[in-house]
Amino acid sequence: MTSSVLDLAPVVPVVVLEDAADAVPLARALVAGGLPAIEVTLRTAAALDAIKAIAAEVPDAVVGAGTVISPRNVSDTVAAGARFLVSPGWTDALLDAMKASGVPFLPGVSTTSEVVALLERGVTEMKFFPAGAAGGTAYLKALSAPLPQARFCPTGGISLASAPSYLALPNVGCVGGSWMVPADAVAAGDWARVERLAAEAAALRV
């Protein structure tokens, strides 16, 4: 895999799975639609089993773990097969654990000071969260002049309609979103719909 999560696809699906049995067909639909990087969030009890299943059964997927908020989360998800890590924010302990994990990671930031602190620690790729609430494209555009070495995956409140304005920014490598994995489609097992929505999202590369 490329060393950067930001370069895998224009959109990283942010997936919340209540049932690990949905993980493999969902991942196959996303990959078929052109979105190989899949962030499975640790918001449900099924998350670790879902990561294990995708890692084992969908070789073309690059499965990652989201909502990583502790060193234990790091070790558990990497052991399950996660190939990248995404956190909503960061602490020194969490950052140390992610750095030691051996897999790419995107620590979350929402302020300039957090970005500078990560740059000081040698980290140049970050998640900007919650993107919409934290200032959106205007904020990221403002950061690009003084901090051009920082690159971002904005996540939070992004849609098919708003994604292109983020992707057009020089400091944005990809965006994270859940619009291509609507809960009703997952609940119904409508993988054809997921694949169609993924294909729309994959076509956003600018």
Side-chain angles (χ1 to χ4, degrees):
M1 118 179 201
T2 172
S3 60
S4 173
V5 181
L6 301 182
D7 297 327
L8 288 170
V11 181
V12 176
V14 178
V15 175
V16 180
L17 283 169
E18 301 292 343
D19 186 347
D22 291 329
V24 168
L26 177 67
R28 286 179 175 148
L30 291 169
V31 170
L35 299 180
I38 302 167
E39 175 188 334
V40 178
T41 69
L42 299 183
R43 299 178 201 174
T44 68
L48 280 177
D49 286 338
I51 290 169
K52 283 180 189 171
I54 295 170
E57 298 182 49
V58 193
D60 291 333
V62 180
V63 65
T67 323
V68 173
I69 58 171
S70 70
R72 175 67 182 271
N73 287 163
V74 173
S75 56
D76 286 351
T77 54
V78 172
R83 293 169 63 186
F84 65 91
L85 306 170
V86 184
S87 69
W90 66 278
T91 64
D92 286 329
L94 179 58
L95 187 66
D96 288 343
M98 290 195 292
K99 277 189 157 188
S101 71
V103 301
F105 58 91
L106 296 173
V109 297
S110 60
T111 69
T112 308
S113 293
E114 291 169 323
V115 176
V116 172
L118 283 176
L119 291 173
E120 195 175 79
R121 297 284 301 270
V123 177
T124 59
E125 298 188 342
M126 312 164 196
K127 168 179 176 168
F128 180 59
F129 176 84
T137 54
Y139 195 98
L140 286 170
K141 190 173 183 180
L143 285 181
S144 65
L147 302 170
Q149 64 272 55
R151 294 180 73 214
F152 300 95
C153 173
T155 305
I158 297 176
S159 66
L160 180 66
S162 64
S165 59
Y166 283 95
L167 292 167
L169 297 173
N171 55 349
V172 169
C174 64
V175 299
S178 55
W179 74 86
M180 75 299 299
V181 285
D184 59 339
V186 175
D190 189 352
W191 311 124
R193 181 178 168 207
V194 170
E195 182 177 340
R196 282 197 308 274
L197 293 170
E200 277 185 334
L204 292 175
R205 173 75 72 195
V206 291

